[in-house]
Amino acid sequence: MSGKDWSRVDGYLVSALQPPDPALDAALVDSDAAGLPQIAVAANQGKMLMLLAQSVGARRILEIGTLGGYSTIWLARALTADGKLVSLEYEAKHAEVARRNIARAGLAERVEVRVGRGVDLLPGVEGPIDFAFIDADKASNPEYFEGALRLSRPGALIVVDNVVRGGGVTDPAGDANIRGIRRMFELIAAEPRVEATAVQTVGAKGWDGFCLIRVKD
Ligand SMILES: C[S@@+](CC[C@H](N)C(=O)[O-])C[C@H]1O[C@@H](n2cnc3c(N)ncnc32)[C@H](O)[C@@H]1O
């Protein structure tokens, strides 16, 4: 099996289970047109995020790493009627593209994109949150995990993306991103308030994986 096969299967799975979605498709097209990197979650992972957030009745969602708002739209759709999502993004240009995409999806009232470094913005985020999606610079994952945990209510879920990095996660001498992921795993393992697993994935976005953390009741 190669990357081409993984993409073909992803294409099949999405076409089998997910009808075309004009707002999400347009978000990707406009993000590309604006020159943003093509590193949004895949459509099937986006839907998984939505389903997970729905399963905890998410009223408050925190996202770190907005890019063009693709995952933001998936997550905001999971919110309860009175729900709100705050997304933190370092690049002002990404935030601007995201706000347009989010508005076109009819979610502007429920989503706030804040611009700055995630570690600087986190202390200003209001809790409690029901769901967090961590998908920014991986070197800061330890701080993002700790910040999301501090804000989380009992029973909240935290999902961290890109924790496998083509297998690089097993290298203790890896780059700053790998070291950030490994340090986060150490913190999670030593944290009695959570239970967690990590799952590797292949697909249209290559070989990677996510970590799923549940804050205990
Ligand atoms: C993988 S992309 C996010 C993709 C998005 N969650 C999606 O799936 O549609 C990572 C984003 O994190 C942003 N980022 C990088 N460093 C950051 C930091 N220190 N604080 C906040 N955002 C950061 C990048 O500019 C980029 O837009």
Side-chain angles (χ1 to χ4, degrees), residues 28 31 36-42 45-46 49 63-75 87-92 94-95 114-121 133-138 140 144 161-162 205:
L28 291 180
S31 296
L36 271 51
Q38 297 184 344
I39 52 175
V41 295
Q45 190 185 354
L49 291 170
E63 177 179 62
I64 310 176
T66 320
L67 192 65
Y70 183 77
S71 56
T72 321
I73 294 171
W74 276 114
L75 287 167
S87 188
L88 313 181
E89 170 57 49
Y90 179 70
E91 298 285 348
H94 295 185
R114 299 183 186 171
V115 178
R117 293 172 67 228
V119 287
D120 296 335
L121 296 173
F133 180 46
I134 298 173
D135 189 21
D137 57 312
K138 315 306 171 191
S140 302
Y144 294 154
D161 202 14
N162 307 126
K205 302 285 171 169

Side-chain angles (χ1 to χ4, degrees), residues 52-108:
L52 287 171
Q54 281 173 336
S55 73
V56 292
R59 185 167 164 265
R60 298 273 164 204
I61 296 178
L62 167 67
E63 177 179 62
I64 310 176
T66 320
L67 192 65
Y70 183 77
S71 56
T72 321
I73 294 171
W74 276 114
L75 287 167
R77 287 178 175 173
L79 288 166
T80 55
D82 58 345
K84 288 266 185 270
L85 182 155
V86 171
S87 188
L88 313 181
E89 170 57 49
Y90 179 70
E91 298 285 348
K93 180 181 165 187
H94 295 185
E96 192 187 309
V97 173
R99 287 189 188 110
R100 282 201 299 271
N101 287 332
I102 291 161
R104 183 177 38 217
L107 296 162

Side-chain angles (χ1 to χ4, degrees), residues 160 163-164 181 184-185 188 196-201 209-213:
V160 187
V163 299
V164 172
I181 293 163
M184 178 191 71
F185 283 147
I188 293 170
T197 187
V199 176
Q200 58 181 334
T201 57
F210 62 89
C211 180
L212 176 62
I213 303 149

Side-chain angles (χ1 to χ4, degrees), residues 182-197:
R182 292 175 65 94
R183 176 71 192 133
M184 178 191 71
F185 283 147
E186 287 168 8
L187 292 174
I188 293 170
E191 175 52 69
R193 287 173 291 171
V194 303
E195 286 197 295
T197 187

